[in-house]
Amino acid sequence: MRILGIDGGIASVGWAVIDIGETDGTIRDAGVWCFDAPETDKEKTPSNSIRRQKRGQRRVTRRRAQRMAALRRLFAADGLLPDSRPDALHHKGFDPWHLRAEGLERRLGPAELAVALGHIARHRGFRSNSKRERGANAPKETSEMLTAIAATSEQLSRYATVGQMFARDERFRERKHNREGDYTRSVQRTDLEREADALFAAQRRLGNPAATETLQARFADIAFSQRPLQDSEHLLRPCPFEPGRKRTARRSYAFELFRLLSRLANLRLTSGGREWKLSVEQIGQIAADFGRTKKLTYRSIRKTLDLAPQTRFAGIGADAEAQDAVARSGNAAEGTATLRDVVGPSAWAALLHAPETLDRIYEVLNFRDSPDSIRDGLAEAGVKEPVLATIMSGVSEGRFAAFSGAGHISAKAARRIIPHLARGLVYSEACAEAGYDHTARAQLGIGDIMSGEGHRRLAAAL
């Protein structure tokens, strides 16, 4: 059998051709092709990142133009504007900030109301549907913006609306918009939605016939709508062991426990020139109460097993015993400990008795970004109140922002292999006991090959 191996990197592609015989393999040929890395010379920023950023900016500009064009058509149809030309909302002498504030106190003319509403729609504030935009792992720019929004919200509590605050607060007299790296003028979209509602309510109270509930509903639908984030579940590759099953979340309970037991099956202790593997009892001791803490260090294993000082972990220096024993980066029980802490002891104990539901919860939290999509997925998985509300509260707090990536097998396969790993069998032996061929690989079709945006989303899923 002849195998071609390819290892692609950012600045090189290595390759080798190997002939596999009955007992060994022979390298027929090998080489590497080097090329210039696609990144900037000074900052070393990947070129695709720059292209993606500019593409995103163009998309934002295009969608804003489409949104404003739709609003001009709406205002023209309702008689607020004479027509829907691109400059229809540009009226000399109109200050939109003051119109937004005055609209709470006096009746606005048709064009004034259109300008005030159009200004709200054009600067419609910040809202993200992603679970990753909160918590410790949020992007730096987003974290800074959220901090600034919190400060602005505190200031807003002294005013009726955002427009009134920006029009009459001395703090915003000289400047009302953000500058690069400065987000102190950022506001939440929900605050602007409330302002639009307050403006319509005030105008109806003041007898403005143009401020109908129908116009209010249509305005809100155009001005504040946002496309939902796309889930990544459909990008997952199939499980190599279970036909019809997709790979599970890397942070799921089943996969994290599977990974721990796989590591313990290969861990060796050494003392006085002798080396031995962990016993079944020792494996059980370490895995007991799994997920009580996120990190599982060699030092904590030593304490759990009450090892003698002269007993060492084979291949692990004394200065490395503070490292996590399972994860090269991150923590062995990141997902397990996080969900366990969010739902509490009693709910966690109940979920352990429903393993399929438990792992499905992790997959929903891992491969979905939008809170609405997450809620729907949890409900479909059979999660009931109050546990559902508790998990969604964790989503809003950013507790699951670090949930990403997929394991190499499905949750069902992991659950079938776990009991055999717990007996001390290594991965290949445990797979055989579960009825799997550990060398199996899922088959990919031509439709699984993607480029551009598809690759980026696939990388995020995997």
Side-chain angles (χ1 to χ4, degrees), residues 264 279-289 303-306:
L264 296 181
S279 67
V280 174
E281 292 74 19
Q282 288 175 318
I283 291 175
Q285 284 180 269
I286 298 169
D289 203 21
K303 184 177 180 180
T304 298
L305 300 182
D306 193 22

Side-chain angles (χ1 to χ4, degrees), residues 76-287:
D78 274 44
L80 274 68
L81 295 175
D83 53 59
S84 60
R85 290 178 293 108
D87 61 347
L89 287 171
H90 299 164
H91 285 259
K92 188 176 181 179
F94 282 12
D95 185 330
W97 292 107
H98 285 93
L99 288 177
R100 287 166 61 174
E102 293 170 4
L104 302 176
E105 302 160 354
R106 71 170 178 86
R107 177 172 162 175
L108 300 178
E112 290 179 319
L113 180 59
V115 170
L117 292 173
H119 193 255
I120 292 174
R122 184 171 183 81
H123 308 282
R124 61 181 190 160
F126 174 82
R127 179 173 67 198
S128 174
N129 288 331
S130 175
K131 68 175 186 287
R132 307 184 197 283
E133 298 291 359
R134 285 169 169 75
N137 294 308
K140 180 177 181 291
E141 181 180 348
T142 301
S143 296
E144 292 175 351
M145 184 179 295
L146 291 173
T147 300
I149 285 175
T152 305
S153 295
E154 192 278 329
Q155 188 87 352
L156 179 60
S157 63
R158 297 191 283 273
Y159 295 90
T161 65
V162 172
Q164 189 182 77
M165 178 181 69
F166 275 84
R168 298 177 180 175
D169 195 304
E170 288 295 323
R171 176 186 172 193
F172 305 106
R173 178 180 294 276
E174 298 299 325
R175 180 167 61 88
K176 293 179 171 60
H177 299 292
N178 289 326
R179 293 173 178 168
E180 185 175 356
D182 178 1
Y183 306 101
T184 55
R185 272 56 178 171
S186 300
V187 296
Q188 296 188 82
R189 188 171 304 169
T190 52
D191 291 330
L192 292 173
E193 289 172 334
R194 283 192 287 268
E195 177 178 354
D197 291 341
L199 183 58
F200 271 103
Q203 288 299 298
R204 283 197 290 269
R205 186 178 67 252
L206 294 166
N208 190 336
T212 64
E213 292 185 355
T214 300
L215 176 62
Q216 180 178 353
R218 294 173 66 190
F219 168 79
D221 184 56
I222 296 172
F224 301 122
S225 63
Q226 183 163 312
R227 296 169 186 247
L229 294 171
Q230 188 171 8
D231 301 332
S232 60
E233 289 177 285
H234 65 289
L235 299 174
L236 291 171
R237 294 175 61 183
C239 173
F241 300 148
E242 289 290 339
R245 298 270 182 159
K246 294 291 187 72
R247 300 182 178 196
T248 192
R250 185 165 57 95
R251 302 291 190 189
S252 71
Y253 173 76
F255 191 77
E256 287 189 333
L257 182 56
F258 157 83
R259 190 172 58 169
L260 166 67
L261 295 174
S262 297
R263 175 70 181 113
L264 296 181
N266 288 283
L267 190 61
R268 297 291 184 268
L269 301 175
T270 180
S271 178
R274 189 171 64 92
E275 186 174 302
W276 66 96
K277 63 186 293 186
L278 297 178
S279 67
V280 174
E281 292 74 19
Q282 288 175 318
I283 291 175
Q285 284 180 269
I286 298 169

